[in-house]
Amino acid sequence: MSETTRTFPDSFVWGSATASYQIEGAADEGGRGPSIWDTFSHTPGKTLNGDTGDVADDHYHRWAEDVQHVVDLGLDAYRLSIAWPRVQPGGTGDFNPEGIAFYSTLIDALVEAGVKPVATLYHWDLPQELEDRGGWANRETAFAFAAYARRMAEELGDRVDVWTTLNEPWCAAYLGYGSGVHAPGRTEPVAALEAVHHLNLAHGLACREIRDVLGQQARLSVTLNLHVIRPEDPSSAEDQDAVRRIDALANRAFLAPMLDGVYPADLFADTAHVTDWSFVADGDLALINQPLDVLGVNYYSTVKVRRYRGDGERSENDGHGAAEASPWIGVDDVEFVEQPGPTTAMGWNIEPGGLTELLESVAATYPDQPMMVTENGAAFEDEVSADGRVHDPRRVAYLHDHVEAVGRALDAGADVRGYFAWSLLDNFEWSFGYDRRFGIIRVDYTTQERTWKDSAHWYRTLCTTHVLPAVSAVDPSAR
Ligand code: FCB
């Protein structure tokens, strides 16, 4: 992509994001209870190299230094997540004052420094005890989540700028209960669809509780990993139908109940041989359909699909990891074809145009819905150079081209309010452990030393000037 000079509005929010289990460590400290990710990562064979989040970035002890990095980067906002098992071990009943104090102090430090906290209530670390009672396949989990959300609004609500109920319920449901590559590692098609619904219900119930506590000052959101799905052959009706089916499971299974108060009829029809969806109770959809102040959108790459005709091995390049079971519940005749590079260390294709397309398409369907890009970034095999620095030109180019892609969506009239780079720090990348580095700040996992990569210096210039710097404009002396 050619380099352009682009200025963003002053009100546009620049941020970076992390998640509790990926950075905190201190898994057994401060009264924290176990989560499904503790159990999963400690199960042999579930994560690369057997990595766990036991220590991670030791952020629980180093949070003050990390806040200083946020401040030095010139970020307007910082997206963090609250570990439910840290503030309410077990997921029901008593809350843990020590856990609440940790987030309260962290949020105070951000606010004092003029950084807006964006707090996600669920970034996948479900208390293990709730999983023992069925997890997200159990309707009760949604009500437990609502009670936890209410308490967080009471404790932290005066200082949190935006509340995000869930991060990527797609992953929580389909990777956790469908393909099993994420915790809790179940491969049960019906449970996966129950999880979809109970996560949607949890979102709606939590919104209602937070608004009840905070009134109209509450700013509410949810973060979805919406899929940009392209047909291999746009002129093929079969490939177009493959797009429609994947779009129903990936995107409309969440957008439609949350923003329109309905489930798509084609989603029910496509999965009728799996379940009759009788777990959707009367009144649920009205609860799920809550006004959102901002819709969080995560974007990394695109997928390409075609009709699978049963000849040869089905290709499954959906970017969600190799698994014995498919996360695409009820869909046996669609395949995900390999896409042309370049790719990141995750094997994900680099396609900034997909982000423009995604933001424009959400804006076309929901013209009055403000959006925010709550995650975007790339893993590469970074190395520390002889000069002690981490030169990561491919990450700088990735960020540059995707920020430009957001600018193009703004030009086209999409109401996008902010952009958050994933991630502030290298961290525990779920089933890929510490092998995949997404940070703009490098973490040495032996010493816990943080080192700004070139991308952090570059991003600082963007955040402090609101002008998109050239890819070559890396200036470590400016810090
Ligand atoms: C998203 C997750 C985030 C991180 C990035 C790479 O799916 O929300 O925690 O793992 O992918």
Side-chain angles (χ1 to χ4, degrees):
M1 195 179 284
S2 66
E3 297 198 351
T4 52
T5 305
R6 176 181 287 284
T7 304
F8 284 81
D10 282 345
S11 59
F12 194 85
V13 171
W14 296 102
S16 185
T18 61
S20 47
Y21 191 71
Q22 295 182 275
I23 65 166
E24 283 180 8
D28 284 330
E29 285 178 59
R32 180 184 179 276
S35 80
I36 55 174
W37 268 98
D38 295 283
T39 309
F40 187 79
S41 66
H42 279 269
T43 306
K46 297 297 188 191
T47 65
L48 202 59
N49 304 317
D51 288 344
T52 74
D54 287 1
V55 178
D57 293 344
D58 194 31
H59 170 77
Y60 185 74
H61 299 113
R62 294 166 197 265
W63 63 268
E65 179 191 345
D66 294 338
V67 168
Q68 194 57 50
H69 287 300
V70 165
V71 173
D72 290 349
L73 280 161
L75 303 185
D76 302 309
Y78 172 59
R79 175 175 178 245
L80 62 111
S81 84
I82 296 171
W84 186 356
R86 195 178 283 295
V87 296
Q88 190 185 28
T92 53
D94 289 347
F95 284 82
N96 171 29
E98 213 177 328
I100 294 174
F102 171 71
Y103 295 106
S104 187
T105 310
L106 172 63
I107 286 168
D108 277 347
L110 291 166
V111 172
E112 267 164 39
V115 179
K116 296 177 163 75
V118 175
T120 301
L121 287 163
Y122 187 72
H123 202 124
W124 306 349
D125 35 10
L126 185 73
Q128 179 61 43
E129 293 83 348
L130 292 181
E131 176 56 34
D132 295 343
R133 297 203 288 276
W136 287 110
N138 180 351
R139 184 177 175 87
E140 286 308 310
T141 300
F143 292 88
F145 180 74
Y148 149 64
R150 181 179 187 92
R151 181 66 179 264
M152 291 305 103
E154 287 165 357
E155 298 279 355
L156 310 168
D158 51 336
R159 291 159 287 155
V160 166
D161 190 60
V162 176
W163 286 100
T164 302
T165 54
L166 308 172
N167 176 71
E168 300 191 351
W170 186 93
C171 294
Y174 297 113
L175 300 182
Y177 296 82
S179 71
V181 299
H182 276 190
R186 287 164 60 180
T187 51
E188 301 164 36
V190 178
L193 296 178
E194 286 172 330
V196 166
H197 179 61
H198 297 144
L199 282 155
N200 282 330
L201 182 61
H203 160 77
L205 291 168
C207 287
R208 197 176 62 160
E209 294 294 338
I210 297 169
R211 280 220 173 87
D212 188 45
V213 173
L214 299 173
Q216 286 315 311
Q217 78 170 77
R219 295 182 63 217
L220 293 176
S221 72
V222 67
T223 279
L224 303 178
N225 55 321
L226 298 173
H227 286 60
V228 177
I229 309 151
R230 293 172 173 167
E232 186 182 51
D233 174 3
S235 69
S236 151
E238 289 186 338
D239 289 3
Q240 291 289 359
D241 195 54
V243 171
R244 178 196 61 71
R245 294 179 65 162
I246 298 304
D247 178 52
L249 282 164
N251 300 332
R252 289 181 287 118
F254 303 98
L255 286 171
M258 288 178 180
L259 298 180
D260 302 320
V262 292
Y263 274 111
D266 59 333
L267 172 68
F268 280 15
D270 290 346
T271 55
H273 58 295
V274 178
T275 175
D276 60 5
W277 290 77
S278 54
F279 44 80
V280 180
D282 283 352
D284 283 1
L285 283 158
L287 283 169
I288 297 168
N289 181 208
Q290 300 286 333
L292 291 181
D293 298 281
V294 61
L295 173 69
V297 174
N298 289 355
Y299 175 82
Y300 291 92
S301 62
T302 59
V303 291
K304 188 172 277 185
V305 298
R306 71 171 169 227
R307 173 74 175 272
Y308 173 56
R309 291 178 185 80
D311 40 353
E313 207 173 316
R314 185 158 76 137
S315 107
E316 288 169 350
N317 294 290
D318 63 3
H320 297 299
E324 274 165 35
S326 169
W328 301 102
I329 308 300
V331 175
D332 302 319
D333 57 353
V334 171
E335 55 183 350
F336 290 78
V337 299
E338 203 167 329
Q339 299 175 85
T343 57
T344 68
M346 296 297 284
W348 297 343
N349 64 312
I350 301 175
E351 213 324 27
L355 179 53
T356 311
E357 187 180 319
L358 174 59
L359 295 168
E360 287 184 23
S361 91
V362 176
T365 315
Y366 302 103
D368 300 325
Q369 179 61 64
M371 290 177 275
M372 215 155 61
V373 177
T374 38
E375 281 180 32
N376 175 243
F380 289 110
E381 281 145 15
D382 304 319
E383 274 168 27
V384 184
S385 301
D387 61 5
R389 290 179 41 202
V390 180
H391 301 296
D392 58 343
R394 285 182 297 173
R395 184 174 292 102
V396 174
Y398 182 100
L399 295 174
H400 172 279
D401 293 353
H402 285 77
V403 169
E404 167 64 16
V406 173
R408 291 183 184 192
L410 284 171
D411 292 346
D415 185 359
V416 188
R417 305 282 175 94
Y419 174 93
F420 290 70
W422 182 271
S423 178
L424 179 70
L425 304 165
D426 289 339
N427 60 47
F428 175 78
E429 177 48 35
W430 309 112
S431 55
F432 296 97
Y434 297 100
D435 193 69
R436 305 291 155 87
R437 293 177 174 272
F438 274 92
I440 56 174
I441 297 177
R442 179 181 176 85
V443 175
D444 177 323
Y445 293 113
T446 310
T447 62
Q448 290 293 345
E449 191 188 345
R450 276 79 162 133
T451 304
W452 281 32
K453 302 178 190 178
D454 283 359
S455 52
H457 293 289
W458 179 89
Y459 196 53
R460 181 189 172 281
T461 306
L462 170 61
C463 298
T464 52
T465 63
H466 290 204
V467 179
L468 182 63
V471 171
S472 57
V474 172
D475 182 9
S477 66
R479 188 185 161 190

